[in-house]
Amino acid sequence: MTATDWNPILRGEFEKDYWNSLQRFVAHERATTTVYPPADAVFAALHLTPYHDIKVLILGQDPYHGPHQAHGLCFSVQQGIAPPPSLVNIFKELRTDLGIDPPNHGSLDHWAAQGVLLLNAVLTVRAHQANSHQGKGWEQFTDEVIRQVDAKTDPVVFVLWGGYARKKRALITGRHHVVLESVHPSPLSAHNGFLGSRPFSRANAALEAVGREPIDWRIPDR
C-alpha cells in the first residue's frame, strides 16, 4: 500500500503472520497465472476513499475475474468494459430509486471520490476462477477495515447486499451507524428484493438525518 490515511490505522495488520503468508500466496499466483485486479489497483478502494471521508460502505465479495474488468472497487469495472449483470441491476435500481440514467461506462470511481468505500471482502482473484483467493487471508484484513469504519464517530451507512455481505453485520456494532441490507443485485436474486429496495435514497436520507452531506449518485458520462 502506498501512503494514505489508512496506513497508520491498518499498520498492525502488515506485521501479522497471516499478512506475510497472504502476500507470498498472491506473489506466487501472479508469477504462475493471471491475477486480477492489477497489482497497482488492489487497494484502490482505500486509496480513492480516505478513512476520514467515509460516509457509505458498500461491501462486495470477490473481484470480477474476466479480462480488464476488476480495478479495485467492488461492483465497478474499468472504462471501456461493458457493465456486468450485477452492475446493470444496480444502475436499474438507481434509475428507479432516484431517476438517474446509467452512465455510458461502468466505473464507480465518482462514488468513491465522495466517500463511498467500495470494498470487496477478497481483494484478488485468479482469472476466470471466481472465489479462487477466498480463505487465504484477505477476509481477515477486510474484516479489520470494516471494524475500523465501525469505530468512526461519524455515522456511516453500511450497505450489505447478499448473504455473504450480510454475515458481516456482526462486525458493525456502533449504534450511530445505519445498516441497509437486501439480497444481492445478481440476476439470480435481484428480483427477490434488490430491485425496489431504494438503497441510494435511503442512504442519503440517513446521512441528511445526521447533518452529513448526501452522496451525488449521478455518474458523469466519459
Side-chain angles (χ1 to χ4, degrees):
M1 289 179 64
T2 56
T4 72
D5 70 345
W6 283 98
N7 275 67
I9 296 167
L10 298 172
R11 186 174 293 134
E13 299 305 296
F14 310 146
E15 299 169 357
K16 294 180 179 178
D17 289 343
Y18 88 86
W19 181 261
N20 294 325
S21 176
L22 169 63
Q23 297 311 305
R24 287 193 299 270
F25 166 77
V26 173
H28 181 265
E29 287 281 280
R30 289 197 185 278
T32 56
T33 186
T34 300
V35 172
Y36 300 127
D40 62 358
V42 170
F43 299 104
L46 303 181
H47 293 157
L48 292 176
T49 309
Y51 181 77
H52 71 274
D53 287 346
I54 296 172
K55 297 177 180 177
V56 177
L57 188 157
I58 298 177
L59 183 64
Q61 182 171 350
D62 202 43
Y64 294 123
H65 53 83
H68 311 298
Q69 291 181 310
H71 65 132
L73 306 179
C74 72
F75 297 107
S76 180
V77 290
Q78 296 191 67
Q79 296 284 329
I81 301 298
S86 291
L87 183 55
V88 170
N89 282 332
I90 290 169
F91 287 155
K92 284 181 181 177
E93 181 58 20
L94 189 60
R95 175 184 278 154
T96 299
D97 190 1
L98 294 174
I100 295 172
D101 289 331
N104 60 3
H105 61 91
S107 175
L108 305 181
D109 57 358
H110 181 69
W111 293 355
Q114 296 182 73
V116 180
L117 182 63
L118 296 163
L119 181 71
N120 274 316
V122 176
L123 299 188
T124 57
V125 68
R126 187 183 299 176
H128 311 299
Q129 295 186 36
N131 306 322
S132 51
H133 286 187
Q134 285 193 5
K136 303 299 183 181
W138 282 126
E139 296 92 338
Q140 187 169 341
F141 176 71
T142 55
D143 280 0
E144 181 62 19
V145 172
I146 295 168
R147 289 189 191 96
Q148 291 296 338
V149 176
D150 178 62
K152 287 174 65 72
T153 55
D154 292 328
V156 173
V157 180
F158 291 81
V159 179
L160 308 179
W161 290 331
Y164 183 90
R166 295 169 85 170
K167 289 178 182 176
K168 304 295 184 177
R169 178 68 176 83
L171 300 174
I172 305 163
T173 61
R175 302 182 76 174
H176 57 301
H177 300 312
V178 172
V179 180
L180 304 180
E181 301 182 52
S182 79
V183 300
H184 197 274
S186 161
L188 296 174
S189 56
H191 290 279
N192 293 323
F194 174 76
L195 296 175
S197 63
R198 306 186 71 86
F200 308 104
S201 61
R202 291 167 65 201
N204 277 355
L207 292 171
E208 292 178 309
V210 294
R212 304 200 74 185
E213 284 291 317
I215 303 298
D216 179 4
W217 296 104
R218 293 171 296 178
I219 300 173
D221 287 337
R222 301 280 172 84

